[in-house]
Amino acid sequence: MRCNSNSFNGATDASRVYQLIVTCLSTILMFLIAPNPMNAQKTNAPIRFDKQTQVFRIDAADVSYVFGINEKKQVQTLYWGKRLNDADPFPAPKSDPGLSGFDTSVNTTRQEFVAWGSGLYIEPDLKVSFPDGNRDLVLQYDSHTIEGRRLKIVLKDISRDVYVDLEYQIDVVTGVLTRSANVENRTSAPLTVEQISSGTWNLPRGDDYRLRYLTGRWAGEWVLHHQLVQPGKTILESRRGSTGDQNNPWFAIDHEGDGDQDHGDVWFGALGWSGSWQISIEQDQIQQIRVAGGPNSFDFGYRLSPGEQLKSPDFYAGYSHDGIGGASRLLHRFEISSILPHGPKPKLRPVLYNSWEATEFKVDEAGQESLAEKAASIGVERFVVDDGWFGQRSSDRAGLGDWYVNPVKFPHGLKPLIDKVHSLGMDFGLWVEPEMVNPDSDLYRKHPDWALNFIGRPRTEGRNQLMLNLARPDVRAYVFQALDKLLNENDIAFLKWDYNRNWSEPGWPAVAPEDQKKVYIEYVRNLYSILAELRAKHPQVEIESCSGGGSRVDLGIMRYTDQVWPSDNTDAFDRLLMQDGFSYAYAPGVMMAWVTDSPTWVNQRNLSLEYRFLSSMQGSLGIGANLNNWKPEDFTTAKSMVAQYKHIREIVQRGSLYRLISPQNGSEQSVTESVSEDQRSAVTFAFLHSSQMLYPFPRIYLRGLKTDSMYRIAALNGKLSPGTPDIASGAFWMQHGVDVELRGDFQAASFRLDVADR
Ligand code: DGJ
């Protein structure tokens, strides 16, 4: 504020004084009543609309998302990034004039949702065809409603009664936005939706962006990649009928060369859909970056009769000013509070034992009871019987679809085993694979038409099994009833829901040819509805999403499941890399990690039991080893590690993850730190591949602690270097750092820090 008398040149002294007083008073008054851009003013309403400028603002956490209605009634993006001052001006939006006759205005104006029509060449959010041959759709703003954290914008075609509701919901804690689009056919004839996305995320213009994404395959999931965003399009996708692991529906974009784990701008997002999907990342002709995502448009077609609607999946996205580490911490927090069942405080994951690697299909009452006793002796809380307990299942060649208890393996049903497990103080879990059928099964012999198929064409098997067409109402009913009966008749606390192949011949001969491609949507809807109905009817049951490993992990399935199985590869060293990749998109608390045998079946690598435990303790701990082969000292070690894990699991499962040393790019070391929500405790895991030439393990600089709080350090496993103080400030641990004594091959250590209450 300046009351500068020099501005009154030429006036008399008295009038000068008078003017000066008036100027100063009015400046003070303006300062008091007008929003001052220098003050970071924050509003309580996260979503606002300015009638004058026709601008919407969504402000929450550290994010502002701004868009408005331009003179062509297009909904135009104006800003997405670090939170701005509430008083910052956004004039009424104006559409871009276009670059030339080749790239007209519709291609260069950054729209929130654009349909294919009027000469659009960029990726459309919606493409339809009408029965009269018309395929042109031009959407304009019609109306909107704001209710607290939700905004709905209605768009309508310029001439036909096709309506699209754009839905926005803001999470005020993380600033993560949820978007979806709902198309409604209010014309008098059917139309076909050939492509639909949840909306376009427009990033600030730029040519220095780097895209991070996840790829993988069976036993090799969660590989982190990055590449420069180039002119043109990158498509991340699955055409497999389910999420798949070749790409996972997650992305993060930052500026190349700028930023690290904890600094720099990052825009990130994840699609909540467990069917075929696509995310397109496009840099257009004028270096604008657009990200759009939804069901895969390949082989897609959804016929909407008059009055019918089609809603896209939810697409979640956020922004972090605190680097890629900050981005994943926001996403983890959002998943814990807003996605997982029982959020905002989902139940902590119990330590489980799973028999698969020990017994494979050779399960029976006596063998499982014996394993259960051993598991209970080390503190396991949940005992899970994997594949092989049902139908005529003695290998992967038969039995899928026949969900009755195998009378030879369990002559008295599952009850004696379940009672035994309960008497040992554990709850009971069971493996199922409800969406599949072996041709060698009673179900397939009775209902061959229930499998996905094209009439008269071969049916391609994967792992000797076919896909049931869950889109069919009778198949949905059968699957629900089979599982409901299982849960009614047995005291089951947990289902491991497996899915061991992808689609082939996705025909649905029972419906009209023009409706057959609906299978891509109806299948997934029925999957979700079965999960939801089972959960409602059996609220005590928890569910794991498994797909031959991590092939169905996404924010869609996570709404109905409590945890996921990231990979069949349980080699504790390989897992460091996979767990690191996984953590970019998903919270460590949902990631099951078993301690299995050494040498591992995957790489024939020998790893100490401590190493294997510490690797698994970075997620939700499970044991999958053959306990029949353990020595007494293994049980002693395991008992102590399980007890340790129970003390730290809340920090690991619900805390904030910091990647201190990345295992990526062949790094010899890997270090992670989890900090509790209240920042009073932290636990660190450090792994060494091989030491060389007498070099010590790098010093570990902690993060996320309170600078002025005093923390006590305690080694959980391995040794801290001599001279490490018992107690020091958060600043000390973060700036001075901690040395651990790690030498040799495949070594591991962990320590924790807790506020030392005086
Ligand atoms: C694949 C899963 O990922 C494994 O953990 C195991 O459950 C097998 N299927 C059983 O068939």
Side-chain angles (χ1 to χ4, degrees), residues 368-423:
Q368 295 293 304
E369 285 191 6
S370 158
L371 283 170
E373 280 166 9
K374 295 180 175 95
S377 77
I378 56 173
V380 165
E381 298 159 309
R382 170 169 292 167
F383 184 82
V384 184
V385 174
D386 209 278
D387 199 348
W389 60 268
F390 56 92
Q392 297 307 307
R393 186 83 164 162
S394 53
S395 73
D396 60 17
R397 303 203 147 270
L400 285 176
D402 301 338
W403 298 109
Y404 62 87
V405 180
N406 182 292
V408 177
K409 297 177 179 184
F410 296 93
H412 316 288
L414 293 173
K415 190 165 184 324
L417 173 61
I418 295 177
D419 288 347
K420 172 84 179 181
V421 166
H422 288 165
S423 74

Short mmCIF file of all heavy atoms in Angstrom, two decimals, residues 368-423:
data_model
loop_
_atom_site.label_atom_id
_atom_site.label_comp_id
_atom_site.label_asym_id
_atom_site.label_seq_id
_atom_site.Cartn_x
_atom_site.Cartn_y
_atom_site.Cartn_z
N GLN A 368 -3.80 -79.15 4.96
CA GLN A 368 -4.06 -77.73 5.25
C GLN A 368 -4.10 -77.48 6.76
O GLN A 368 -3.63 -76.45 7.23
CB GLN A 368 -5.38 -77.30 4.59
CG GLN A 368 -5.34 -77.35 3.06
CD GLN A 368 -4.40 -76.31 2.46
OE1 GLN A 368 -4.52 -75.12 2.71
NE2 GLN A 368 -3.45 -76.76 1.66
N GLU A 369 -4.62 -78.47 7.49
CA GLU A 369 -4.65 -78.28 8.96
C GLU A 369 -3.24 -78.22 9.52
O GLU A 369 -2.95 -77.43 10.41
CB GLU A 369 -5.45 -79.41 9.61
CG GLU A 369 -6.94 -79.23 9.39
CD GLU A 369 -7.80 -80.17 10.23
OE1 GLU A 369 -7.25 -80.91 11.08
OE2 GLU A 369 -9.01 -80.16 10.01
N SER A 370 -2.39 -79.05 8.98
CA SER A 370 -1.01 -79.06 9.46
C SER A 370 -0.33 -77.72 9.14
O SER A 370 0.38 -77.14 9.99
CB SER A 370 -0.30 -80.25 8.81
OG SER A 370 1.06 -80.07 8.81
N LEU A 371 -0.55 -77.19 7.94
CA LEU A 371 0.01 -75.88 7.61
C LEU A 371 -0.58 -74.79 8.50
O LEU A 371 0.12 -73.86 8.93
CB LEU A 371 -0.27 -75.55 6.13
CG LEU A 371 0.61 -76.27 5.10
CD1 LEU A 371 0.06 -76.06 3.69
CD2 LEU A 371 2.06 -75.77 5.18
N ALA A 372 -1.87 -74.92 8.77
CA ALA A 372 -2.54 -73.91 9.60
C ALA A 372 -1.91 -73.85 11.00
O ALA A 372 -1.70 -72.77 11.56
CB ALA A 372 -4.04 -74.21 9.69
N GLU A 373 -1.61 -75.00 11.55
CA GLU A 373 -0.99 -75.02 12.89
C GLU A 373 0.34 -74.27 12.86
O GLU A 373 0.65 -73.47 13.74
CB GLU A 373 -0.74 -76.46 13.34
CG GLU A 373 -1.98 -77.13 13.88
CD GLU A 373 -1.81 -78.64 14.01
OE1 GLU A 373 -0.67 -79.14 13.83
OE2 GLU A 373 -2.83 -79.31 14.25
N LYS A 374 1.11 -74.55 11.84
CA LYS A 374 2.43 -73.92 11.74
C LYS A 374 2.29 -72.40 11.52
O LYS A 374 3.05 -71.61 12.08
CB LYS A 374 3.24 -74.57 10.61
CG LYS A 374 3.54 -76.04 10.91
CD LYS A 374 4.33 -76.69 9.79
CE LYS A 374 4.71 -78.11 10.17
NZ LYS A 374 3.79 -79.13 9.67
N ALA A 375 1.32 -72.05 10.67
CA ALA A 375 1.13 -70.62 10.40
C ALA A 375 0.72 -69.89 11.68
O ALA A 375 1.23 -68.81 11.99
CB ALA A 375 0.06 -70.44 9.31
N ALA A 376 -0.17 -70.52 12.42
CA ALA A 376 -0.64 -69.86 13.66
C ALA A 376 0.53 -69.67 14.63
O ALA A 376 0.58 -68.66 15.36
CB ALA A 376 -1.74 -70.71 14.30
N SER A 377 1.47 -70.60 14.63
CA SER A 377 2.57 -70.52 15.60
C SER A 377 3.47 -69.32 15.37
O SER A 377 4.21 -68.91 16.26
CB SER A 377 3.40 -71.82 15.57
OG SER A 377 4.24 -71.81 14.44
N ILE A 378 3.43 -68.73 14.18
CA ILE A 378 4.28 -67.54 13.96
C ILE A 378 3.47 -66.25 13.98
O ILE A 378 3.99 -65.17 13.67
CB ILE A 378 5.08 -67.65 12.63
CG1 ILE A 378 4.15 -67.88 11.44
CG2 ILE A 378 6.14 -68.74 12.72
CD1 ILE A 378 4.86 -67.83 10.10
N GLY A 379 2.20 -66.35 14.32
CA GLY A 379 1.41 -65.13 14.48
C GLY A 379 0.55 -64.76 13.29
O GLY A 379 0.03 -63.64 13.22
N VAL A 380 0.37 -65.69 12.34
CA VAL A 380 -0.50 -65.42 11.19
C VAL A 380 -1.94 -65.23 11.68
O VAL A 380 -2.38 -65.91 12.60
CB VAL A 380 -0.39 -66.57 10.16
CG1 VAL A 380 -1.51 -66.53 9.14
CG2 VAL A 380 0.96 -66.51 9.46
N GLU A 381 -2.65 -64.30 11.02
CA GLU A 381 -4.02 -63.97 11.46
C GLU A 381 -5.10 -64.48 10.51
O GLU A 381 -6.28 -64.48 10.86
CB GLU A 381 -4.14 -62.45 11.58
CG GLU A 381 -3.19 -61.88 12.62
CD GLU A 381 -2.91 -60.41 12.43
OE1 GLU A 381 -2.55 -60.01 11.31
OE2 GLU A 381 -3.05 -59.65 13.41
N ARG A 382 -4.70 -64.85 9.30
CA ARG A 382 -5.70 -65.32 8.31
C ARG A 382 -5.07 -66.45 7.53
O ARG A 382 -3.97 -66.31 7.00
CB ARG A 382 -6.07 -64.16 7.39
CG ARG A 382 -6.89 -64.54 6.19
CD ARG A 382 -7.44 -63.33 5.49
NE ARG A 382 -8.44 -62.66 6.30
CZ ARG A 382 -8.92 -61.44 6.07
NH1 ARG A 382 -8.47 -60.75 5.04
NH2 ARG A 382 -9.84 -60.92 6.86
N PHE A 383 -5.80 -67.57 7.43
CA PHE A 383 -5.29 -68.74 6.71
C PHE A 383 -6.11 -68.91 5.43
O PHE A 383 -7.34 -69.02 5.47
CB PHE A 383 -5.41 -69.99 7.59
CG PHE A 383 -4.81 -71.20 6.94
CD1 PHE A 383 -3.44 -71.44 7.00
CD2 PHE A 383 -5.62 -72.11 6.26
CE1 PHE A 383 -2.89 -72.55 6.38
CE2 PHE A 383 -5.07 -73.22 5.65
CZ PHE A 383 -3.70 -73.45 5.71
N VAL A 384 -5.43 -68.93 4.30
CA VAL A 384 -6.14 -68.95 3.01
C VAL A 384 -5.81 -70.23 2.24
O VAL A 384 -4.65 -70.53 1.98
CB VAL A 384 -5.75 -67.74 2.14
CG1 VAL A 384 -6.56 -67.71 0.85
CG2 VAL A 384 -5.93 -66.44 2.90
N VAL A 385 -6.87 -70.96 1.88
CA VAL A 385 -6.71 -72.14 1.02
C VAL A 385 -6.83 -71.67 -0.43
O VAL A 385 -7.84 -71.06 -0.81
CB VAL A 385 -7.78 -73.20 1.33
CG1 VAL A 385 -7.69 -74.35 0.33
CG2 VAL A 385 -7.61 -73.71 2.75
N ASP A 386 -5.83 -71.94 -1.21
CA ASP A 386 -5.80 -71.47 -2.60
C ASP A 386 -6.49 -72.49 -3.51
O ASP A 386 -7.31 -73.32 -3.08
CB ASP A 386 -4.35 -71.17 -3.02
CG ASP A 386 -4.25 -70.08 -4.06
OD1 ASP A 386 -4.43 -70.39 -5.25
OD2 ASP A 386 -4.00 -68.92 -3.70
N ASP A 387 -6.14 -72.48 -4.76
CA ASP A 387 -6.74 -73.29 -5.82
C ASP A 387 -6.71 -74.79 -5.47
O ASP A 387 -5.79 -75.25 -4.80
CB ASP A 387 -5.91 -73.05 -7.09
CG ASP A 387 -6.63 -73.43 -8.35
OD1 ASP A 387 -7.68 -74.09 -8.25
OD2 ASP A 387 -6.13 -73.09 -9.43
N GLY A 388 -7.73 -75.54 -5.95
CA GLY A 388 -7.66 -76.99 -5.85
C GLY A 388 -8.68 -77.63 -4.91
O GLY A 388 -8.75 -78.86 -4.83
N TRP A 389 -9.50 -76.86 -4.20
CA TRP A 389 -10.40 -77.41 -3.17
C TRP A 389 -11.77 -77.83 -3.69
O TRP A 389 -12.56 -78.41 -2.96
CB TRP A 389 -10.60 -76.35 -2.06
CG TRP A 389 -11.21 -75.07 -2.58
CD1 TRP A 389 -10.54 -73.97 -3.03
CD2 TRP A 389 -12.61 -74.78 -2.76
NE1 TRP A 389 -11.41 -73.01 -3.47
CE2 TRP A 389 -12.69 -73.47 -3.31
CE3 TRP A 389 -13.79 -75.48 -2.51
CZ2 TRP A 389 -13.91 -72.86 -3.61
CZ3 TRP A 389 -15.01 -74.87 -2.81
CH2 TRP A 389 -15.06 -73.57 -3.36
N PHE A 390 -12.06 -77.58 -4.97
CA PHE A 390 -13.45 -77.68 -5.47
C PHE A 390 -13.52 -78.61 -6.68
O PHE A 390 -12.50 -78.92 -7.31
CB PHE A 390 -13.93 -76.28 -5.88
CG PHE A 390 -13.01 -75.66 -6.89
CD1 PHE A 390 -13.23 -75.81 -8.26
CD2 PHE A 390 -11.88 -74.97 -6.47
CE1 PHE A 390 -12.35 -75.28 -9.19
CE2 PHE A 390 -10.99 -74.43 -7.40
CZ PHE A 390 -11.23 -74.59 -8.75
N GLY A 391 -14.76 -78.96 -7.02
CA GLY A 391 -15.02 -79.74 -8.24
C GLY A 391 -14.05 -80.88 -8.41
O GLY A 391 -13.57 -81.49 -7.46
N GLN A 392 -13.70 -81.16 -9.67
CA GLN A 392 -12.73 -82.22 -9.97
C GLN A 392 -11.38 -81.58 -10.28
O GLN A 392 -10.73 -81.87 -11.28
CB GLN A 392 -13.24 -83.05 -11.17
CG GLN A 392 -14.53 -83.79 -10.91
CD GLN A 392 -14.44 -84.66 -9.64
OE1 GLN A 392 -13.53 -85.46 -9.48
NE2 GLN A 392 -15.38 -84.46 -8.71
N ARG A 393 -10.96 -80.71 -9.41
CA ARG A 393 -9.78 -79.89 -9.66
C ARG A 393 -8.53 -80.55 -9.09
O ARG A 393 -8.28 -80.47 -7.89
CB ARG A 393 -10.01 -78.53 -8.99
CG ARG A 393 -8.93 -77.49 -9.25
CD ARG A 393 -9.17 -76.80 -10.54
NE ARG A 393 -8.40 -75.56 -10.66
CZ ARG A 393 -8.18 -74.97 -11.82
NH1 ARG A 393 -8.68 -75.48 -12.93
NH2 ARG A 393 -7.49 -73.85 -11.88
N SER A 394 -7.76 -81.21 -9.95
CA SER A 394 -6.47 -81.70 -9.48
C SER A 394 -5.33 -81.10 -10.28
O SER A 394 -4.16 -81.33 -10.00
CB SER A 394 -6.42 -83.22 -9.55
OG SER A 394 -6.76 -83.62 -10.86
N SER A 395 -5.68 -80.32 -11.29
CA SER A 395 -4.70 -79.57 -12.07
C SER A 395 -5.49 -78.42 -12.69
O SER A 395 -6.70 -78.29 -12.46
CB SER A 395 -4.10 -80.44 -13.17
OG SER A 395 -5.08 -80.63 -14.20
N ASP A 396 -4.82 -77.64 -13.53
CA ASP A 396 -5.57 -76.52 -14.13
C ASP A 396 -6.40 -76.96 -15.34
O ASP A 396 -6.95 -76.14 -16.05
CB ASP A 396 -4.63 -75.36 -14.48
CG ASP A 396 -3.55 -75.75 -15.49
OD1 ASP A 396 -3.69 -76.79 -16.15
OD2 ASP A 396 -2.55 -75.01 -15.60
N ARG A 397 -6.53 -78.29 -15.54
CA ARG A 397 -7.26 -78.79 -16.71
C ARG A 397 -8.76 -78.96 -16.46
O ARG A 397 -9.53 -79.07 -17.41
CB ARG A 397 -6.70 -80.15 -17.16
CG ARG A 397 -5.24 -80.11 -17.47
CD ARG A 397 -4.79 -81.21 -18.40
NE ARG A 397 -3.70 -80.71 -19.23
CZ ARG A 397 -3.85 -80.12 -20.40
NH1 ARG A 397 -5.04 -80.00 -20.94
NH2 ARG A 397 -2.81 -79.67 -21.07
N ALA A 398 -9.17 -79.00 -15.17
CA ALA A 398 -10.58 -79.32 -14.91
C ALA A 398 -11.11 -78.58 -13.69
O ALA A 398 -10.36 -78.12 -12.84
CB ALA A 398 -10.72 -80.84 -14.68
N GLY A 399 -12.44 -78.49 -13.65
CA GLY A 399 -13.12 -78.10 -12.42
C GLY A 399 -13.63 -76.69 -12.34
O GLY A 399 -14.61 -76.43 -11.63
N LEU A 400 -13.00 -75.73 -13.05
CA LEU A 400 -13.47 -74.35 -12.91
C LEU A 400 -14.93 -74.24 -13.32
O LEU A 400 -15.30 -74.72 -14.40
CB LEU A 400 -12.63 -73.41 -13.78
CG LEU A 400 -11.23 -73.08 -13.28
CD1 LEU A 400 -10.50 -72.22 -14.32
CD2 LEU A 400 -11.28 -72.36 -11.94
N GLY A 401 -15.72 -73.63 -12.51
CA GLY A 401 -17.16 -73.51 -12.77
C GLY A 401 -17.97 -74.34 -11.81
O GLY A 401 -19.14 -74.05 -11.56
N ASP A 402 -17.35 -75.41 -11.25
CA ASP A 402 -18.09 -76.32 -10.36
C ASP A 402 -17.72 -75.99 -8.92
O ASP A 402 -16.79 -76.57 -8.35
CB ASP A 402 -17.73 -77.77 -10.68
CG ASP A 402 -18.06 -78.13 -12.13
OD1 ASP A 402 -18.90 -77.43 -12.73
OD2 ASP A 402 -17.46 -79.09 -12.65
N TRP A 403 -18.48 -75.09 -8.30
CA TRP A 403 -18.07 -74.55 -7.01
C TRP A 403 -18.65 -75.35 -5.85
O TRP A 403 -19.27 -74.79 -4.93
CB TRP A 403 -18.43 -73.06 -6.93
CG TRP A 403 -17.67 -72.32 -8.00
CD1 TRP A 403 -18.18 -71.77 -9.13
CD2 TRP A 403 -16.25 -72.13 -8.06
NE1 TRP A 403 -17.17 -71.23 -9.90
CE2 TRP A 403 -15.97 -71.44 -9.26
CE3 TRP A 403 -15.18 -72.47 -7.23
CZ2 TRP A 403 -14.68 -71.09 -9.64
CZ3 TRP A 403 -13.90 -72.11 -7.61
CH2 TRP A 403 -13.66 -71.42 -8.80
N TYR A 404 -18.45 -76.67 -5.89
CA TYR A 404 -18.78 -77.50 -4.72
C TYR A 404 -17.47 -78.03 -4.15
O TYR A 404 -16.46 -78.19 -4.86
CB TYR A 404 -19.73 -78.65 -5.10
CG TYR A 404 -19.17 -79.62 -6.11
CD1 TYR A 404 -18.40 -80.72 -5.71
CD2 TYR A 404 -19.40 -79.45 -7.48
CE1 TYR A 404 -17.88 -81.62 -6.64
CE2 TYR A 404 -18.86 -80.33 -8.41
CZ TYR A 404 -18.10 -81.40 -7.99
OH TYR A 404 -17.56 -82.28 -8.90
N VAL A 405 -17.46 -78.34 -2.88
CA VAL A 405 -16.24 -78.78 -2.21
C VAL A 405 -15.91 -80.20 -2.68
O VAL A 405 -16.79 -81.08 -2.70
CB VAL A 405 -16.43 -78.75 -0.67
CG1 VAL A 405 -15.15 -79.20 0.04
CG2 VAL A 405 -16.82 -77.34 -0.22
N ASN A 406 -14.66 -80.41 -3.05
CA ASN A 406 -14.26 -81.74 -3.54
C ASN A 406 -14.39 -82.76 -2.41
O ASN A 406 -13.74 -82.63 -1.37
CB ASN A 406 -12.81 -81.67 -4.04
CG ASN A 406 -12.35 -83.00 -4.61
OD1 ASN A 406 -12.21 -83.97 -3.87
ND2 ASN A 406 -12.14 -83.03 -5.91
N PRO A 407 -15.23 -83.80 -2.63
CA PRO A 407 -15.54 -84.72 -1.53
C PRO A 407 -14.38 -85.65 -1.17
O PRO A 407 -14.38 -86.23 -0.08
CB PRO A 407 -16.73 -85.52 -2.05
CG PRO A 407 -16.69 -85.37 -3.54
CD PRO A 407 -15.98 -84.10 -3.85
N VAL A 408 -13.44 -85.83 -2.04
CA VAL A 408 -12.29 -86.69 -1.70
C VAL A 408 -11.30 -85.91 -0.85
O VAL A 408 -10.81 -86.39 0.18
CB VAL A 408 -11.63 -87.21 -3.00
CG1 VAL A 408 -10.41 -88.05 -2.67
CG2 VAL A 408 -12.64 -88.00 -3.82
N LYS A 409 -11.03 -84.69 -1.25
CA LYS A 409 -10.05 -83.89 -0.52
C LYS A 409 -10.60 -83.41 0.82
O LYS A 409 -9.88 -83.29 1.81
CB LYS A 409 -9.64 -82.68 -1.36
CG LYS A 409 -8.93 -83.06 -2.66
CD LYS A 409 -8.63 -81.80 -3.48
CE LYS A 409 -7.91 -82.16 -4.76
NZ LYS A 409 -7.53 -81.00 -5.54
N PHE A 410 -11.90 -83.11 0.84
CA PHE A 410 -12.53 -82.61 2.07
C PHE A 410 -13.82 -83.41 2.31
O PHE A 410 -14.92 -82.93 2.03
CB PHE A 410 -12.84 -81.11 1.94
CG PHE A 410 -11.60 -80.25 1.79
CD1 PHE A 410 -11.11 -79.92 0.53
CD2 PHE A 410 -10.90 -79.80 2.91
CE1 PHE A 410 -9.97 -79.16 0.38
CE2 PHE A 410 -9.75 -79.03 2.77
CZ PHE A 410 -9.29 -78.71 1.50
N PRO A 411 -13.67 -84.64 2.82
CA PRO A 411 -14.84 -85.52 2.91
C PRO A 411 -15.95 -84.96 3.80
O PRO A 411 -17.12 -85.31 3.63
CB PRO A 411 -14.27 -86.81 3.51
CG PRO A 411 -12.81 -86.60 3.73
CD PRO A 411 -12.43 -85.25 3.25
N HIS A 412 -15.60 -84.09 4.72
CA HIS A 412 -16.63 -83.53 5.61
C HIS A 412 -16.90 -82.07 5.28
O HIS A 412 -17.33 -81.29 6.14
CB HIS A 412 -16.18 -83.66 7.07
CG HIS A 412 -15.61 -85.00 7.38
ND1 HIS A 412 -16.40 -86.13 7.46
CD2 HIS A 412 -14.34 -85.41 7.57
CE1 HIS A 412 -15.62 -87.19 7.70
NE2 HIS A 412 -14.36 -86.78 7.78
N GLY A 413 -16.62 -81.69 4.06
CA GLY A 413 -16.79 -80.28 3.69
C GLY A 413 -15.63 -79.45 4.26
O GLY A 413 -14.63 -79.98 4.76
N LEU A 414 -15.79 -78.14 4.18
CA LEU A 414 -14.71 -77.26 4.65
C LEU A 414 -14.79 -77.00 6.16
O LEU A 414 -13.86 -76.47 6.76
CB LEU A 414 -14.76 -75.92 3.91
CG LEU A 414 -14.44 -75.95 2.41
CD1 LEU A 414 -14.69 -74.58 1.78
CD2 LEU A 414 -12.97 -76.37 2.19
N LYS A 415 -15.94 -77.40 6.76
CA LYS A 415 -16.17 -77.00 8.16
C LYS A 415 -15.08 -77.45 9.13
O LYS A 415 -14.59 -76.63 9.93
CB LYS A 415 -17.56 -77.49 8.61
CG LYS A 415 -17.95 -76.90 9.96
CD LYS A 415 -19.41 -77.08 10.23
CE LYS A 415 -19.87 -76.42 11.51
NZ LYS A 415 -18.98 -76.42 12.63
N PRO A 416 -14.66 -78.71 9.07
CA PRO A 416 -13.62 -79.11 10.04
C PRO A 416 -12.35 -78.25 9.92
O PRO A 416 -11.77 -77.86 10.92
CB PRO A 416 -13.34 -80.57 9.67
CG PRO A 416 -14.55 -81.03 8.94
CD PRO A 416 -15.11 -79.84 8.24
N LEU A 417 -11.95 -77.97 8.69
CA LEU A 417 -10.75 -77.14 8.50
C LEU A 417 -11.00 -75.72 9.03
O LEU A 417 -10.16 -75.14 9.73
CB LEU A 417 -10.36 -77.10 7.02
CG LEU A 417 -9.23 -76.14 6.67
CD1 LEU A 417 -7.92 -76.49 7.39
CD2 LEU A 417 -8.97 -76.11 5.15
N ILE A 418 -12.16 -75.18 8.69
CA ILE A 418 -12.45 -73.81 9.13
C ILE A 418 -12.49 -73.75 10.67
O ILE A 418 -11.94 -72.84 11.29
CB ILE A 418 -13.78 -73.30 8.52
CG1 ILE A 418 -13.62 -73.20 6.99
CG2 ILE A 418 -14.17 -71.95 9.10
CD1 ILE A 418 -14.86 -72.79 6.23
N ASP A 419 -13.12 -74.77 11.28
CA ASP A 419 -13.16 -74.79 12.75
C ASP A 419 -11.75 -74.85 13.33
O ASP A 419 -11.44 -74.17 14.32
CB ASP A 419 -13.97 -76.00 13.25
CG ASP A 419 -15.47 -75.81 12.99
OD1 ASP A 419 -15.86 -74.67 12.66
OD2 ASP A 419 -16.23 -76.80 13.08
N LYS A 420 -10.93 -75.66 12.71
CA LYS A 420 -9.56 -75.80 13.18
C LYS A 420 -8.82 -74.45 13.08
O LYS A 420 -8.14 -74.01 14.01
CB LYS A 420 -8.85 -76.85 12.31
CG LYS A 420 -7.37 -76.97 12.55
CD LYS A 420 -7.09 -77.88 13.70
CE LYS A 420 -5.60 -78.04 13.93
NZ LYS A 420 -5.29 -78.91 15.02
N VAL A 421 -8.98 -73.80 11.93
CA VAL A 421 -8.34 -72.50 11.70
C VAL A 421 -8.81 -71.50 12.76
O VAL A 421 -8.02 -70.77 13.37
CB VAL A 421 -8.64 -72.01 10.27
CG1 VAL A 421 -8.31 -70.53 10.09
CG2 VAL A 421 -7.86 -72.84 9.26
N HIS A 422 -10.12 -71.51 13.02
CA HIS A 422 -10.66 -70.60 14.06
C HIS A 422 -10.09 -70.94 15.43
O HIS A 422 -9.75 -70.04 16.21
CB HIS A 422 -12.18 -70.68 14.10
CG HIS A 422 -12.83 -70.03 12.90
ND1 HIS A 422 -14.14 -70.22 12.56
CD2 HIS A 422 -12.32 -69.23 11.95
CE1 HIS A 422 -14.41 -69.55 11.46
NE2 HIS A 422 -13.33 -68.93 11.08
N SER A 423 -10.00 -72.24 15.70
CA SER A 423 -9.50 -72.63 17.03
C SER A 423 -8.05 -72.20 17.22
O SER A 423 -7.56 -72.04 18.34
CB SER A 423 -9.64 -74.14 17.25
OG SER A 423 -8.65 -74.82 16.49
#
